[in-house]
Amino acid sequence: ETGVTQTPRHLVMGMTNKKSLKCEQHLGHNAMYWYKQSAKKPLELMFVYNFKEQTENNSVPSRFSPECPNSSHLFLHLHTLQPEDSALYLCASSHSGGAPGELFFGEGSRLTVL
Amino acid sequence: GQQLNQSPQSMFIQEGEDVSMNCTSSSIFNTWLWYKQDPGEGPVLLIALYKAGELTSNGRLTAQFGITRKDSFLNISASIPSDVGIYFCAGVSGGYQKVTFGTGTKLQVIP
C-alpha cells in the first residue's frame, strides 16, 4: 500500500453541498497535516494534528472542519465552500518529534467548487 | 508572514545539461529542505539541510544551506527526462512542524 492515501482524487461540488476528504497513512506516523495548493501560490498549511490533537489551525475559515479520529486517519469536512476554495488539498504525515520538515505527502484531492 | 522566493519560476533545459535553482528569504530558517512534485502527485522530499553552510548530495542532486541561513540552492547535474516537475524549497523555523514552502520552480527537460 502507498504510504499516504487520499480519497477522493477529484471532487466537484456546489457551494451548498457538504462533502468530506479522507486521508489515511500506513507509515506509523503520529502527526498529520492538511495543506492547500492553489495555482501560482505556495503550499499553505491549514491544520496540524499530533496524536489526534489539533496543534495548529492556520486561521482557516470555519467552512473547513478537520477531524482526526486516530493517528492514521484525517478528514477534512467541507460545507458552504466558495469558488476560490477550488484547489489541490494535500494531506501529509510525519513522525511527531522527528526530523524537522520531513513530510510524507499523499497524491492530493483536486477540489472544484462551482 | 515568512516568504520564500524561488528563482527561476520556470526553465526549459536540454537533456544532459546541469540545472541550478535558488531560494531566498528575508527570514532566518533553521532547516532547509527541497521537495519535488511530479504532475498529479504530492511533493516528495529530496534533500534536507540542518546546518548553516552544509552541502549535501543525493545522487545527481546537490543542495547547500546558505551561511546566512536565509538562502539555499539546488543543483541537478546531467538532467534526464524524469527530472521534469516542480521543485519546492521549504524552510523550518520556530515550531518544527511549521514548514514554509516556496513558490516553486517548474523544470522541463527537452529530450
Side-chain angles (χ1 to χ4, degrees):
Chain A
E1 294 208 26
T2 56
V4 181
T5 305
Q6 290 188 240
T7 55
R9 293 292 308 276
H10 300 272
L11 177 64
V12 180
M13 59 189 288
M15 290 193 286
T16 57
N17 291 158
K18 281 187 181 183
K19 297 285 184 184
S20 295
L21 307 180
K22 179 183 175 183
C23 176
E24 184 174 359
Q25 59 94 3
H26 307 277
L27 299 170
H29 291 162
N30 37 45
M32 295 189 78
Y33 310 72
W34 280 116
Y35 276 85
K36 176 184 179 183
Q37 186 176 30
S38 306
K40 300 190 178 178
K41 291 175 77 173
L43 275 75
E44 299 170 59
L45 177 65
M46 300 175 72
F47 301 103
V48 182
Y49 278 82
N50 282 280
F51 297 95
K52 308 188 299 177
E53 300 298 318
Q54 189 183 115
T55 53
E56 186 77 30
N57 177 339
N58 202 24
S59 304
V60 180
S62 59
R63 57 186 184 270
F64 295 93
S65 173
E67 178 191 0
C68 188
N70 55 60
S71 293
S72 300
H73 294 84
L74 184 65
F75 295 89
L76 189 62
H77 304 300
L78 317 169
H79 60 101
T80 57
L81 295 192
Q82 305 298 312
E84 60 265 27
D85 296 323
S86 299
L88 182 69
Y89 289 84
L90 290 160
C91 173
S93 70
S94 73
H95 282 295
S96 193
E102 294 197 10
L103 304 174
F104 292 77
F105 284 90
E107 295 175 316
S109 293
R110 173 73 60 187
L111 173 67
T112 303
V113 182
L114 302 176
Chain B
Q2 295 173 319
Q3 271 191 304
L4 295 180
N5 299 307
Q6 285 188 247
S7 63
Q9 284 190 331
S10 64
M11 53 198 313
F12 284 84
I13 60 166
Q14 205 74 38
E15 182 177 356
E17 287 184 347
D18 297 344
V19 175
S20 186
M21 57 190 79
N22 293 306
C23 189
T24 60
S25 171
S26 57
S27 306
I28 287 173
F29 288 96
N30 298 319
T31 298
W32 283 89
L33 309 112
W34 286 91
Y35 282 82
K36 182 195 176 197
Q37 185 173 26
D38 290 331
E41 306 286 328
V44 174
L45 180 66
L46 299 174
I47 286 183
L49 302 149
Y50 298 108
K51 217 188 313 186
E54 181 181 356
L55 183 73
T56 295
S57 292
N58 179 8
R60 293 179 297 108
L61 308 178
T62 301
Q64 184 154 33
F65 188 148
I67 198 74
T68 64
R69 295 196 285 159
K70 291 184 178 182
D71 64 326
S72 177
F73 72 73
L74 175 71
N75 287 342
I76 305 172
S77 62
S79 58
I80 58 178
S82 61
D83 290 333
V84 163
I86 303 177
Y87 290 80
F88 292 100
C89 64
V92 182
S93 65
Y96 71 93
Q97 291 177 318
K98 293 196 76 169
V99 184
T100 302
F101 282 85
T103 48
T105 291
K106 186 173 183 179
L107 178 64
Q108 310 219 44
V109 178
I110 305 165

